[in-house]
Amino acid sequence: MALLTRRNLLKASAVAGAYGAGMTLAPRLSALAAGDPALLEASIIEAMLDGKGKTRNVMTYATGPLGADPMPPVLRARRGETFATRFVNRLDEPTTVHWHGLRIDNAMDGVPFITQPYVYPGDSFDYAFTPPDAGTFWYHPHCNTLTQIGRGLAGMLIVEDPKDPVFDAEVALTLRDFRLGGDSQFIDQFKARDAAKSGTFGTVRTANWQPSPSYDAPSGGLVRVRILVADVTRLYNLRLSGAEALIVAIDGQPVPVTMPLDMAVVSPGQRLDLVVHMPDSEGQVVALEDIRPSTPKTVASFRSVGSSLKRSLGDVPPLAVNPAPEPDLSNATQIPLVLSATAEEAAKDSICGSLGYSFWAINKVPYPGDTPDPMAPLAEMKLGRTYLLNVENVTPHAHPIHIHGVNFKAVASSTRKILPLVSDTYLILPDEKVQLAVVADNPGDWVFHCHIIEHQKTGMTGYVRIV
Ligand code: C2O
Ligand code: CU
């Protein structure tokens, strides 16, 4: 894996010089002065992930001294208010932080070479932005992404709205695998033959870095469960047993009409917000299950405690809506985007963690992303106009396709009935063609890629330019 050679470092710092903003000397978490933005630090730790032994070289984020819970903290921001953090890199390799699903300024988007330079070991970068949408989002690196997310760097970011309804309890669940051997240590993050198919699966499946955690919740109460699939590969078919639930938001965006949860497919990068109605009697167990045929598993469970609050799902208040620009479909420009395999298997040089292969392409061009010489944009869009992304999947695999900086609204699919949801990620199935409407209201270069990270890093990446 070509990551950091001296020559590449020099090349990268030449690029870094072109940006410059936001670089400061990094203080330690302990040396925080009043008035400084809160710190967010990435570092390497040992942690228990498989319930058996400590895993070395785990990567995590922290906002304070590491406590008993080693996983990246759930960050909280408020809609319409500035969120500021000084990110400090204590890893031994460069990184950046991307705020997945947030429609914020391009300079804060955290994509090396496209929006900012690397944050080198020991350096820091000040991120500040004002989220326009409330909901469940997340943050993760966009550099050497398979290794860095694979080793732990992925956290939930909740944007609150003062008008958000209050529930009887709230549980945040980050679902992900780790690839560990029997000795609890990391094994190779991917197998090339799997990267060329649906991706390489982890060996230890967790929710909140635990094999199958259980949470207490008030009997008869309404619990908001925020679910993030932060895995690099795995799709979940989620179902609840032992209670009823409503889907209230998908990918951070409140759904126009809440829907009962039957089974929801949630792919890497996506979020699902449920309101679960706990059973009335104490001691009942509600299980959140992944029922994908080859891999059924109880992901997490909830146990009712106390005397019943006697609520019902009919009492669930609507979430405050997010301000989405309305696409003008009568005036939309069509952009064809074909997702395919590529014949070219040559290693692409990327100093941000090349996997050494290209298996995938968008419009026939394989691009691993995060390289100092970005290819041409997939499309140029004019600020304020509506575009229809005609995305066609000619591969036999599903791809959770994700765009930065703007949302799309699903308009039509060739193979299924779809809801006109606004989102940052669309899971396109094999042989599906989908029309995704985008209002180009946020200027900048925005990455568009598959969120199965092996696909992203072996070619299924591109970007659009909004000017
Ligand atoms: Cu989670 Cu490029 O994104
Ligand atoms: Cu993919």
Side-chain angles (χ1 to χ4, degrees):
M1 168 174 302
L3 178 61
L4 259 189
T5 61
R6 182 73 204 156
R7 189 176 69 88
N8 279 341
L9 260 175
L10 289 173
K11 203 159 102 187
S13 44
V15 175
Y19 303 79
M23 308 288 285
T24 43
L25 276 183
R28 289 262 165 199
L29 274 173
S30 49
L32 203 51
D36 280 348
L39 291 189
L40 176 69
E41 197 168 281
S43 64
I44 296 178
I45 60 165
E46 282 187 4
M48 177 79 82
L49 301 170
D50 60 1
K52 292 188 223 138
K54 288 233 168 172
T55 304
R56 294 184 298 276
N57 296 315
V58 174
M59 294 179 177
T60 194
Y61 294 111
T63 50
L66 274 180
D69 185 0
M71 73 174 277
V74 173
L75 299 180
R76 287 187 182 260
R78 301 200 112 199
R79 186 222 295 271
E81 289 179 21
T82 305
F83 173 88
T85 189
R86 175 160 300 163
F87 170 69
V88 181
N89 181 4
R90 303 251 175 244
L91 308 174
D92 53 11
E93 61 182 64
T95 190
T96 56
V97 186
H98 167 59
W99 313 92
H100 179 125
L102 294 191
R103 301 182 296 129
I104 56 178
D105 280 355
N106 194 243
M108 295 292 124
D109 194 47
V111 180
F113 305 111
I114 298 266
T115 72
Q116 70 162 94
Y118 281 155
V119 185
Y120 284 93
D123 276 350
S124 73
F125 189 91
D126 287 354
Y127 290 97
F129 48 81
T130 306
D133 298 325
T136 305
F137 300 96
W138 64 300
Y139 60 105
H140 64 75
H142 227 283
C143 178
N144 199 19
T145 315
L146 184 64
T147 299
Q148 293 187 6
I149 298 185
R151 296 208 165 202
L153 293 179
M156 191 182 283
L157 169 62
I158 294 175
V159 182
E160 297 173 335
D161 185 288
K163 296 196 287 293
D164 271 343
V166 177
F167 294 93
D168 300 313
E170 181 171 306
V171 177
L173 289 176
T174 295
L175 311 187
R176 58 162 305 150
D177 297 355
F178 291 93
R179 271 183 63 77
L180 305 180
D183 61 354
S184 306
Q185 303 311 312
F186 284 108
I187 54 175
D188 283 350
Q189 190 61 49
F190 77 103
K191 297 187 190 131
R193 64 169 185 277
D194 290 343
K197 292 188 266 182
S198 47
T200 311
F201 290 88
T203 60
V204 174
R205 305 179 58 185
T206 68
N208 293 347
W209 288 26
Q210 296 161 63
S212 189
S214 169
Y215 298 89
D216 286 353
S219 304
L222 295 176
V223 185
R224 181 171 188 171
V225 181
R226 298 176 186 262
I227 299 166
L228 158 65
V229 174
D231 195 54
V232 293
T233 310
R234 187 180 298 278
L235 278 65
Y236 283 79
N237 289 10
L238 293 176
R239 181 184 73 180
L240 205 63
S241 78
E244 306 265 276
L246 290 179
I247 297 174
V248 294
I250 295 175
D251 296 339
Q253 307 297 330
V255 291
V257 184
T258 60
M259 312 171 248
L261 171 69
D262 172 22
M263 189 275 286
V265 180
V266 190
S267 59
Q270 295 200 278
R271 290 84 64 210
L272 180 72
D273 282 48
L274 303 176
V275 175
V276 174
H277 180 222
M278 292 299 291
D280 282 312
S281 52
E282 185 161 35
Q284 300 295 301
V285 174
V286 176
L288 180 67
E289 297 166 340
D290 177 12
I291 55 163
R292 256 186 123 69
S294 52
T295 54
K297 180 180 195 296
T298 297
V299 170
S301 53
F302 310 97
R303 199 176 55 110
S304 53
V305 293
S307 54
S308 177
L309 297 178
K310 298 221 160 53
R311 309 247 198 264
S312 97
L313 281 179
D315 303 338
V316 173
L319 304 181
V321 291
N322 285 326
E326 206 30 61
D328 175 7
L329 294 179
S330 63
N331 247 314
T333 306
Q334 318 248 346
I335 298 174
L337 294 168
V338 179
L339 311 180
S340 69
T342 178
E344 187 207 320
E345 290 201 14
K348 283 264 182 201
D349 186 34
S350 161
I351 55 178
C352 220
S354 166
L355 302 194
Y357 298 90
S358 52
F359 295 123
W360 306 99
I362 301 179
N363 289 350
K364 300 219 168 90
V365 182
Y367 170 58
D370 313 332
T371 70
D373 317 298
M375 56 162 208
L378 290 165
E380 278 209 12
M381 304 181 175
K382 290 212 177 58
L383 195 61
R385 290 191 55 99
T386 295
Y387 292 83
L388 266 176
L389 310 183
N390 291 321
V391 190
E392 183 176 0
N393 179 7
V394 300
T395 80
H397 302 285
H399 302 285
I401 202 84
H402 167 56
I403 196 164
H404 290 202
V406 291
N407 281 327
F408 32 59
K409 185 178 198 172
V411 173
S413 157
S414 61
T415 53
R416 48 181 165 152
K417 206 169 170 296
I418 48 168
L419 296 167
L421 297 178
V422 171
S423 165
D424 55 71
T425 307
Y426 182 89
L427 179 69
I428 184 164
L429 300 176
D431 301 316
E432 183 179 0
K433 279 188 212 171
V434 68
Q435 286 200 307
L436 304 172
V438 167
V439 180
D441 64 349
N442 197 0
D445 287 348
W446 301 109
V447 194
F448 175 86
H449 62 83
C450 179
H451 223 290
I452 291 175
I453 308 296
E454 286 158 82
H455 295 178
Q456 174 192 352
K457 296 295 292 175
T458 58
M460 201 176 281
T461 300
Y463 67 99
V464 298
R465 173 166 292 161
I466 300 180
V467 284

